[in-house]
Amino acid sequence: QQPVQSPQAVILREGEDAVINCSSSKALYSVHWYRQKHGEAPVFLMILLKGGEQKGHDKISASFNEKKQQSSLYLTASQLSYSGTYFCGTEASGAGSYQLTFGKGTKLSVIP
Amino acid sequence: DAGVTQSPTHLIKTRGQHVTLRCSPISGHKSVSWYQQVLGQGPQFIFQYYEKEERGRGNFPDRFSARQFPNYSSELNVNALLLGDSALYLCASSLRIAGSSGANVLTFGAGSRLTVL
């Protein structure tokens, strides 16, 4: 089943912070975050494996709550380059799970 | 190093025709996955191949088929095209197969945009 992302869209001014949430009804092995700009391929941001770890990359970080099967992406001090659609992709636990299931995406627009 | 390369980048077909899309993975990557992305939606899983064997198939009709060659490149074939097949078809390569231990990071190609008229 497709993970649910929220919000669907958000508009920020440069320097503001944002949180994007991803929730799944399945037990997860990992959560992946990608950013896609218009007309381009999705670009990998980070992956979180089960264990509740938090990862960060520059001013973008994420957490994974294994008990709740939820992940959040945190964007701090947003820059114009952060604009795009953010997708979470979930990898289910258990044998035979050979796919990422993506949410519908969160469109982030950063304005000056 | 070259990333994931896909061809063609754009193509227009008519209903009932057949299409073949091609993908070359990153050097050293043995796993190739295919995803369909309809406008405004997230990518939807079609196939995963690892070491030339099909390891996963999404909820797509039998009109969709794929294969992986000894050099790990891959083809996606779609027969009897329907208007609803219009989409961006993304190929992604990875070192590991999904579901195995360790991270399975996908690197996507720029995609093949298919328009069915």
Side-chain angles (χ1 to χ4, degrees):
Chain A
Q1 276 167 324
Q2 189 176 39
V4 177
Q5 286 186 235
S6 62
Q8 290 182 325
V10 59
I11 299 175
L12 298 175
R13 291 198 179 276
E14 269 188 294
E16 291 183 337
D17 301 340
V19 180
I20 300 172
N21 299 302
C22 175
S23 179
S24 174
S25 59
K26 285 189 171 183
L28 300 177
Y29 175 75
S30 67
V31 179
H32 304 225
W33 287 95
Y34 288 81
R35 177 172 61 211
Q36 186 176 31
K37 294 183 181 285
H38 183 69
E40 299 180 8
V43 174
F44 172 77
L45 294 176
M46 64 188 71
I47 182 173
L48 300 106
L49 302 179
K50 65 179 181 180
E53 62 184 287
Q54 185 160 350
K55 286 203 167 187
H57 174 69
D58 195 14
K59 292 177 182 175
I60 300 176
S61 62
S63 63
F64 177 26
N65 186 323
E66 185 184 345
K67 289 183 180 178
K68 294 185 177 181
Q69 307 305 324
Q70 292 176 348
S71 179
S72 295
L73 186 71
Y74 307 94
L75 301 102
T76 57
S78 59
Q79 306 167 15
L80 294 176
S81 62
Y82 285 5
S83 293
T85 302
Y86 290 77
F87 293 99
C88 69
T90 56
E91 190 177 357
S93 293
S97 56
Y98 299 113
Q99 64 189 61
L100 284 188
T101 304
F102 287 90
K104 292 186 176 181
T106 296
K107 186 174 182 179
L108 177 71
S109 301
V110 181
I111 58 176
Chain B
D1 282 342
V4 178
T5 57
Q6 293 187 242
S7 63
T9 54
H10 295 83
L11 66 166
I12 299 174
K13 294 283 187 179
T14 56
R15 281 178 296 176
Q17 285 189 312
H18 163 272
V19 67
T20 297
L21 308 177
R22 295 178 176 82
C23 171
S24 292
I26 290 173
S27 178
H29 284 194
K30 298 181 179 180
S31 177
V32 169
S33 300
W34 287 95
Y35 285 80
Q36 181 196 65
Q37 187 175 26
V38 175
L39 196 62
Q41 300 292 319
Q44 186 175 0
F45 174 75
I46 310 175
F47 287 107
Q48 182 176 95
Y49 278 78
Y50 182 74
E51 289 281 16
K52 303 180 286 295
E53 290 188 10
E54 181 184 305
R55 297 302 187 99
R57 184 186 181 110
N59 188 24
F60 279 81
D62 291 344
R63 299 184 296 108
F64 288 77
S65 64
R67 55 179 175 169
Q68 187 176 33
F69 299 100
N71 66 353
Y72 303 110
S73 67
S74 177
E75 281 184 356
L76 176 69
N77 294 283
V78 187
N79 293 323
L81 286 168
L82 303 174
L83 296 179
D85 295 332
S86 295
L88 179 67
Y89 288 85
L90 295 164
C91 173
S93 75
S94 59
L95 271 172
R96 290 187 176 85
I97 187 171
S100 62
S101 59
N104 176 45
V105 175
L106 299 183
T107 302
F108 284 92
S112 294
R113 184 164 296 282
L114 171 65
T115 302
V116 182
L117 302 177

